[in-house]
Each structure stands twice: as structure tokens, then as C-alpha cells.
Amino acid sequence: MDASTKQRIEQLIGSSPVFVFMKGNKLMPQCGFSNNVVQILNALAVPFETFDVLSDPEVRQGIKEFSDWPTIPQVYVNGEFMGGSDILIEMYNSGELREKLAVALA
């Protein structure tokens, strides 16, 4: 990944306490996994921003290298990579996600 793509990703992550790289956007997810993440964050009434990786192939590939995580969506909380859909579902079901978000957004 080139330096400008890395810088762009870092700026996106830093633009909101909760940031999601996904297919589509929070109003219209374009895959089931992205929709799962949106539904979880909406259920927790957490404000979040998104970036549609389908709109930018450089960011779509770059975020996978940035996080060393091969799939989309990717969720960041205060700049820290939390995981994708499956991990968020597990964290949501255990209550861990609510706790992490409460601390992060306090």
C-alpha cells in the first residue's frame, strides 16, 4: 500500500470514534456481513461513520493490509481494530461490545 492510501485510511479511522469500512453504507449495506455490523451498532444506539470500500479499490485492498485482516467489514473504535462481522456478533452477544463502546465513547 502506498503512503497516500495509508494516510487516507488513518484519516478516515480518526474521523469518528466508531468507524466501519464496509460494502455500502450505514443507510444501505451491500452485503449481509456489513448489514450485521450496522444492525448491531444501531441496536446499541452508537453513532458511527462508514466508508464504502466498493467505491475505492485502493482503500478496499489497503484496509486489509492496514489491519492484517482479510475481510470486510472492519470496525474501529477509537482507532483500534475490533474485528469484522463474526467478532462483533460474538462481542455483542457476550455483552463485551456494549462495555467497550461505553468506555470508548465516555
Side-chain angles (χ1 to χ4, degrees):
M1 152 178 42
D2 65 30
S4 66
T5 302
K6 182 177 183 199
Q7 182 180 19
R8 190 158 165 233
I9 289 170
E10 289 171 342
Q11 287 174 338
L12 286 166
I13 292 169
S15 70
S16 177
V18 180
F19 199 89
V20 183
F21 292 89
M22 61 182 283
K23 294 177 181 174
N25 61 52
K26 62 183 168 183
L27 299 177
M28 189 156 29
Q30 297 293 309
C31 82
F33 298 110
S34 293
N35 186 54
N36 289 343
V37 168
V38 168
Q39 295 304 318
I40 287 170
L41 294 174
N42 284 339
L44 294 173
V46 173
F48 65 101
E49 295 301 324
T50 64
F51 182 85
D52 180 2
V53 298
L54 299 176
S55 71
D56 189 322
E58 287 182 14
V59 171
R60 183 178 185 172
Q61 185 55 41
I63 194 60
K64 294 174 185 179
E65 295 172 28
F66 184 86
S67 63
D68 198 25
W69 190 261
T71 60
I72 304 289
Q74 294 188 13
V75 179
Y76 289 79
V77 176
N78 287 342
E80 179 187 352
F81 176 59
M82 291 284 110
S85 176
D86 291 347
I87 290 173
L88 246 67
I89 290 169
E90 288 177 25
M91 290 175 71
Y92 176 76
N93 288 336
S94 72
E96 181 183 0
L97 183 62
R98 182 183 301 275
E99 292 172 17
K100 277 196 180 279
L101 290 169
V103 169
L105 300 173

